[in-house]
Amino acid sequence: MSWLPKVFELNPAGLNWPRGVLFLDIALVPMIVFWAIGHEQYLLSALFGLLFTWLNDPGGSYGYRASHIAVFALIGAGLTALGFGIGGEAWGWLVLATFAVTLAAGLAIAFGVRRFVAALLLNVWFVVALALGFGFHQNARITSYTWAQVLAWTGGAALWIVMTFVGWLIRGRQDRPPMVAEIPGDTSRRKLTRPLVTFTVIRALVMAGTVALAFGLNLSHGYWMTIAAMIALKPSLEQATLVSVQRLVGALIGAVAAALLLLVPASEHGLRLFAVERGLEVVALVLYMHGVAIRVWNYALYAAAMAMGTLILVALPQPSDYAAEGYRVLWTLCGVGIALLVMLLAGLLAKRTTKAPPQPA
């Protein structure tokens, strides 16, 4: 267990509460709007549109920021339409779409690290949208329109564009640094090496495989396996082993904690159930705020907060009981285990393709 202190080692300089509180202040806007109109099923799309647009803000002049954010938002809107549109289709289409989106996201490294990170964010959102769309199609109590989900995502992204414009005016129209300085800003082209392409294909096959298991076998809450695997999988061969372990531990902690919280509404009905669900939505929003603030403080806790918030919002529209929580934890363990096996396979692949250093004369 000597690795455990390293996984939870804290970086005091990494806390950024002002950034987290600012995100919470802005995210309260879509939450209150959807509460007011009574369509909470569109809240997650708006929050992810806001959050991921925030994370992908490249900084610089306002024109440069707005154009890049707009392109990101448009691609995200297309993936939102695809995810929710095919959520009720045959599981083979879900598998094919997941493989194609994950493969394209992995190969985006050829256009620079910055665009690679943006593609990974969109990849994560597509998987969440697919799971959410499938859940809505299985739940006759809730009506969800694909066009409204797309509008909610676009609205969340547009809200951030408006806020950046207001901030740009207040600060005297000056260039601004990236909102999340920890995200690499390198946009230089990279060569797609054989190990990198192989790992990208393996990762796409793994994600498609978890979707096939979850939806093809119609597993109860099986999409938790896909989301857990997505969160736990490291995005590239170059990522450090410590960060990989932190992603695994964070995904597991977040999923178990989310399952425990979702036990609260399992025995409630009527007005009390409505109040508990609104309270859990606030909890998820606060978790996102903490994730924004502690990303550099500790990556494992960041992954736990983001996983916990996402899984709560995805699971809320669906009826829950104590057996469901057991299934959720079980599929989470399976997803994390699959991710661990893939990372071990990737490590062996990296060792085999690494050339031995030349021997001294």
Side-chain angles (χ1 to χ4, degrees):
M1 300 293 290
S2 59
W3 53 269
L4 195 58
K6 295 182 179 180
V7 171
F8 292 101
E9 185 177 0
L10 304 179
N11 176 19
L15 279 175
N16 196 330
W17 288 117
R19 185 171 71 187
V21 173
L22 177 60
F23 171 78
L24 178 62
D25 292 342
I26 301 174
L28 284 172
V29 175
M31 173 172 281
I32 293 174
V33 168
F34 286 114
W35 280 2
I37 63 178
H39 292 287
E40 294 84 3
Q41 64 267 36
Y42 304 115
L43 176 61
L44 188 60
S45 295
L47 289 179
F48 263 86
L50 172 62
L51 175 62
F52 281 1
T53 303
W54 169 300
L55 294 175
N56 192 52
D57 189 339
S61 65
Y62 180 74
Y64 177 80
R65 296 169 67 188
S67 61
H68 280 69
I69 292 174
V71 171
F72 179 83
L74 287 175
I75 298 174
L79 291 176
T80 304
L82 178 61
F84 284 96
I86 67 174
E89 301 296 331
W91 64 271
W93 290 109
L94 278 64
V95 172
L96 182 61
T98 302
F99 176 81
V101 172
T102 306
L103 182 65
L107 296 178
I109 187 65
F111 301 100
V113 179
R114 182 78 195 189
R115 295 182 179 92
F116 174 61
V117 173
L120 287 178
L121 292 175
L122 292 172
N123 191 186
V124 171
W125 166 239
F126 174 76
V127 172
V128 173
L130 202 63
L132 198 61
F134 179 82
F136 285 146
H137 279 86
Q138 298 295 313
N139 192 340
R141 298 184 305 109
I142 300 176
T143 301
S144 172
Y145 297 103
T146 300
W147 65 266
Q149 296 288 355
V150 174
L151 186 61
W153 161 273
T154 309
L159 177 60
W160 178 244
I161 295 177
V162 172
M163 295 306 300
T164 57
F165 180 71
V166 173
W168 178 67
L169 291 178
I170 292 175
R171 295 180 178 273
R173 295 181 292 184
Q174 297 178 354
D175 294 353
R176 298 295 300 161
M179 287 305 303
V180 183
E182 305 87 60
I183 294 180
D186 182 19
T187 57
S188 58
R189 298 294 183 95
R190 289 196 173 192
K191 183 180 179 181
L192 292 176
T193 61
R194 183 176 179 182
L196 187 58
V197 173
T198 303
F199 178 73
T200 300
V201 172
I202 292 175
R203 185 169 176 270
L205 288 172
V206 168
M207 293 309 304
T210 58
V211 169
L213 291 173
F215 301 113
L217 299 178
N218 198 23
L219 300 177
S220 176
H221 305 284
Y223 62 85
W224 276 51
M225 174 169 53
T226 302
I227 294 177
M230 167 63 69
I231 294 173
L233 270 174
K234 62 180 183 178
S236 67
L237 287 173
E238 291 81 4
Q239 198 172 38
T241 303
L242 176 60
V243 176
S244 303
V245 175
Q246 287 176 319
R247 289 171 67 91
L248 287 167
V249 173
L252 185 58
I253 291 176
V256 172
L260 292 176
L261 271 181
L262 289 168
L263 286 173
V264 177
S267 58
E268 303 293 345
H269 303 280
L271 186 59
R272 289 180 61 86
L273 175 61
F274 177 81
V276 169
E277 288 180 343
R278 300 296 79 76
L280 287 177
E281 287 176 353
V282 174
V283 169
L285 191 60
V286 172
L287 286 167
Y288 284 152
M289 179 203 74
H290 281 76
V292 171
I294 68 175
R295 189 178 189 276
V296 183
W297 188 56
N298 182 269
Y299 194 81
L301 296 179
Y302 158 79
M306 301 303 289
M308 188 175 174
T310 300
L311 291 170
I312 287 174
L313 290 177
V314 171
L316 270 183
Q318 303 182 48
S320 182
D321 52 37
Y322 296 104
E325 305 315 315
Y327 281 121
R328 285 165 175 161
V329 174
L330 173 62
W331 303 138
T332 296
L333 290 172
C334 292
V336 172
I338 290 172
L340 179 60
L341 289 175
V342 172
M343 288 192 289
L344 292 174
L345 177 62
L348 294 175
L349 177 66
K351 289 180 180 179
R352 291 191 61 179
T353 54
T354 301
K355 294 181 179 180
Q359 297 294 328

